[in-house]
Amino acid sequence: MNMKFYRKLGEFEKYPILLAWLVLAGAGCDMNFGRKKVIEPPKPAPVQTAEAQNPSEGEILARVNGQPVYMAPLHEALVADYGLPLAQQLVADEVVRQELVRRKLPVNVSAEEVAQENDRMLRTIFDFNSTQSPQQMETLLTQFLAKRQNTRRQWDATMARNVRLTRIAAGQIKATDAEVLEEFYRQYDGKLRVRHIQVPSLVEAEKVLRELGKGNDFAETAYKFSTSPSAKTGAWLPDIGTREASPKIPPALAKAAQSLKKPGDQSNPIQVGTNFHILRLEEIIPPKDVKFEDVKKEMKSSVEYRLIMQKRHEILQGLLNPSRTKIEYVNPTIQSQSTQR
């Protein structure tokens, strides 16, 4: 499962909608739509010694050999270093809360709702099924957040906001029959794992075939000749269904891949646009023995959740638009940080 996790962790970068929560929770919402961003080095927070503090002006953080260390310098450092992203998260939460009040929808979110959203988000991100235990999923989430340098508190706050945004999005989402069937094939269809070499002309393609005819390794030949970015990462195409192919795969490539009978089979040059491709079938993953009607309801739920994720992002961006919501930072440090972005 660890290998699958790291593969999924890398694949996750391909899905901008699934990264929407991270943009808002980790890097902060960009409240300055249309404003030119200026990146400047952060100014160091002023350092104050315990002796310089007036005991009547602040809470004591600790004592060192009986001498107090106050909370004020810690507060100033945290605001200076981390204030803006966290402030933007709190502002986003308030904007959503106000919209729920305006629509006369419930504002409070239960721990159970947060747990359910957490489960659905993880299963969508990593394409998990019901066999993963809660302990396994918790471990993977911890690793994922560590890679992103995000905290569990930020994640849970985002899950709670997702629940609230879902209440706004409810009724705006409906999966079509075609989308539900495509989801079925995505989850239960067999898969063809295929490498490819892309070249700009038939002459180049024939040259590649001669190189392969000498027994040269396909991936190494792709690295040497292919003009596709995939050449640097093994020359893999996205998995192609044995019955249905993703719309992202050109039909000519999908048809050629599906015509290959066994691992090791190689195609003749296939023209797609101005390029020519040579395919090699590496692995056939057989389809699961599942009937569409038995899982149709589950497939519809999966599609609608992904559509809701996209709709939530659109709703939040709309709510944060300055033409709709006036946001003023009062704290001078955070105000200064916001004007620099």
Side-chain angles (χ1 to χ4, degrees):
M1 187 188 68
N2 287 336
M3 291 301 295
K4 180 180 180 181
F5 164 72
Y6 287 112
R7 186 175 68 193
K8 290 294 181 183
L9 198 60
E11 291 176 355
F12 182 62
E13 308 290 346
K14 302 177 184 177
Y15 304 104
I17 293 302
L18 297 183
L19 279 168
W21 73 269
L22 179 63
V23 173
L24 299 174
C29 311
D30 185 1
M31 308 293 186
N32 303 293
F33 292 83
R35 178 177 295 169
K36 183 177 181 181
K37 294 185 178 182
V38 179
I39 301 175
E40 298 180 3
K43 297 179 181 179
V47 178
Q48 299 180 350
T49 64
E51 290 76 6
Q53 297 291 318
N54 185 336
S56 65
E57 292 182 354
E59 180 183 354
I60 294 176
L61 167 67
R63 287 188 175 88
V64 181
N65 295 324
Q67 295 299 310
V69 177
Y70 295 98
M71 287 291 298
L74 175 62
H75 175 266
E76 292 172 0
L78 291 175
V79 169
D81 293 343
Y82 306 104
L84 183 60
L86 294 177
Q88 290 174 326
Q89 182 173 343
L90 294 172
V91 165
D93 289 342
E94 175 59 17
V95 167
V96 173
R97 187 196 69 79
Q98 290 182 14
E99 182 65 11
L100 287 169
V101 170
R102 188 185 74 81
R103 292 172 178 254
K104 298 181 180 180
L105 295 171
V107 173
N108 293 337
V109 174
S110 68
E112 182 180 2
E113 288 176 308
V114 171
Q116 289 173 347
E117 175 63 23
N118 174 72
D119 183 83
R120 295 199 71 177
M121 178 67 81
L122 289 178
R123 293 190 188 282
T124 301
I125 291 174
F126 297 110
D127 200 19
F128 284 159
N129 54 42
S130 59
T131 63
Q132 277 72 32
S133 70
Q135 293 78 11
Q136 289 172 323
M137 295 181 69
E138 186 67 23
T139 298
L140 294 176
L141 174 58
T142 299
Q143 293 173 314
F144 175 76
L145 293 177
K147 181 181 179 183
R148 299 283 174 185
Q149 296 184 331
N150 287 110
T151 67
R152 183 57 186 265
R153 180 188 294 271
Q154 288 174 301
W155 173 269
D156 287 343
T158 304
M159 296 303 100
R161 186 168 64 236
N162 283 350
V163 172
R164 295 185 175 99
L165 285 166
T166 298
R167 293 171 185 170
I168 299 173
Q172 303 181 41
I173 299 300
K174 185 177 180 181
T176 66
D177 291 343
E179 289 171 328
V180 174
L181 184 60
E182 183 182 340
E183 179 68 10
F184 171 73
Y185 284 132
R186 188 186 73 82
Q187 291 196 31
Y188 294 104
D189 192 5
K191 298 291 185 292
L192 304 174
R193 302 213 68 211
V194 178
R195 297 184 197 266
H196 79 125
I197 297 174
Q198 172 183 294
V199 290
S201 69
L202 182 58
V203 171
E204 285 291 315
E206 291 172 344
K207 179 180 178 181
V208 168
L209 286 176
R210 288 195 294 272
E211 291 292 320
L212 294 172
K214 298 175 184 177
N216 292 336
D217 181 79
F218 194 93
E220 292 179 2
T221 304
Y223 188 86
K224 183 177 180 181
F225 292 101
S226 181
T227 59
S228 170
S230 68
K232 297 180 180 179
T233 55
W236 292 104
L237 281 173
D239 288 351
I240 297 172
T242 56
R243 293 173 291 191
E244 292 286 328
S246 166
K248 298 177 182 178
I249 302 293
L253 290 187
K255 184 177 180 180
Q258 290 164 344
S259 70
L260 300 175
K261 301 302 181 184
K262 63 183 184 299
D265 283 358
Q266 186 175 286
S267 75
N268 292 319
I270 307 145
Q271 185 172 3
V272 178
T274 60
N275 292 310
F276 289 80
H277 299 256
I278 298 168
L279 308 183
R280 175 185 167 88
L281 178 61
E282 299 289 0
E283 182 183 5
I284 301 175
I285 302 173
K288 298 177 182 178
D289 188 16
V290 176
K291 294 181 179 180
F292 175 64
E293 291 301 325
D294 292 341
V295 294
K296 183 176 180 180
K297 185 176 179 180
E298 177 189 340
M299 297 301 97
K300 183 178 180 181
S301 178
S302 295
V303 172
E304 289 181 343
Y305 182 71
R306 282 205 296 272
L307 294 174
I308 282 174
M309 290 176 69
Q310 180 174 350
K311 179 58 68 173
R312 288 189 309 216
H313 182 64
E314 293 172 359
I315 289 171
L316 183 56
Q317 291 299 314
L319 292 174
L320 292 172
N321 194 304
S323 65
R324 177 174 181 139
T325 303
K326 183 179 182 181
I327 299 169
E328 300 174 279
Y329 289 111
V330 178
N331 179 277
T333 301
I334 294 178
Q335 183 184 63
S336 175
Q337 293 172 347
S338 69
T339 59
Q340 294 175 14
R341 291 173 66 92

